[in-house]
Amino acid sequence: QVRLVESGGGLVQAGGSLRLSCAASGRTFSSYVMGWFRQAPGKEREFVAAISWSGGNTNYADSVKGRFTISRDNAKNTVYLQMNSLKPEDTAVYYCAAAANVYSAYGYWGQGTQVTVSS
């Protein structure tokens, strides 16, 4: 069982930066693939980024490549999403999620944190 709690969202001007954090409970956190997703008003939830259990492999949506960086600290049971050069179209609720392995669906989700980018 994994419980996820996001933080770090807020209001920022276009071109600015934010760092989201996702704190996880559960002693098996270090074995999980972790991902970030987002959902804008009126749109479906979309994949943003993912990171392997070791942190050695990452994957990004094309829309955020070169601007966002996902990382994790297994000693702190935390995964991060550093977001730079933010655009108004990045406005969404951002969710942290956990999957048991690369072949599993994301079975654990946080409650989400709002990111609003003003133009």
Side-chain angles (χ1 to χ4, degrees):
Q1 189 75 12
V2 177
R3 181 171 179 264
L4 306 172
V5 179
E6 303 96 334
S7 61
L11 173 63
V12 63
Q13 288 188 331
S17 298
L18 281 174
R19 188 175 82 155
L20 305 183
S21 298
C22 173
S25 64
R27 55 190 175 91
T28 59
F29 168 80
S30 61
S31 68
Y32 280 78
V33 172
M34 299 299 297
W36 286 97
F37 293 76
R38 66 187 182 186
Q39 187 167 19
K43 295 187 177 181
E44 292 188 354
R45 185 169 58 194
E46 64 175 358
F47 169 78
V48 175
I51 188 166
S52 63
W53 67 272
S54 68
N57 290 295
T58 57
N59 189 30
Y60 297 92
D62 288 344
S63 58
V64 306
K65 277 182 183 176
R67 300 188 299 122
F68 290 11
T69 302
I70 188 171
S71 62
R72 67 190 297 163
D73 185 338
N74 287 340
K76 295 182 178 180
N77 278 14
T78 302
V79 63
Y80 305 97
L81 186 68
Q82 178 66 44
M83 305 185 295
N84 298 328
S85 302
L86 283 161
K87 305 175 181 180
E89 51 263 44
D90 294 318
T91 295
V93 177
Y94 283 71
Y95 298 91
C96 172
N101 55 63
V102 296
Y103 305 107
S104 299
Y106 286 93
Y108 301 99
W109 294 84
Q111 83 289 348
T113 186
Q114 176 70 47
V115 171
T116 302
V117 184
S118 63
S119 57

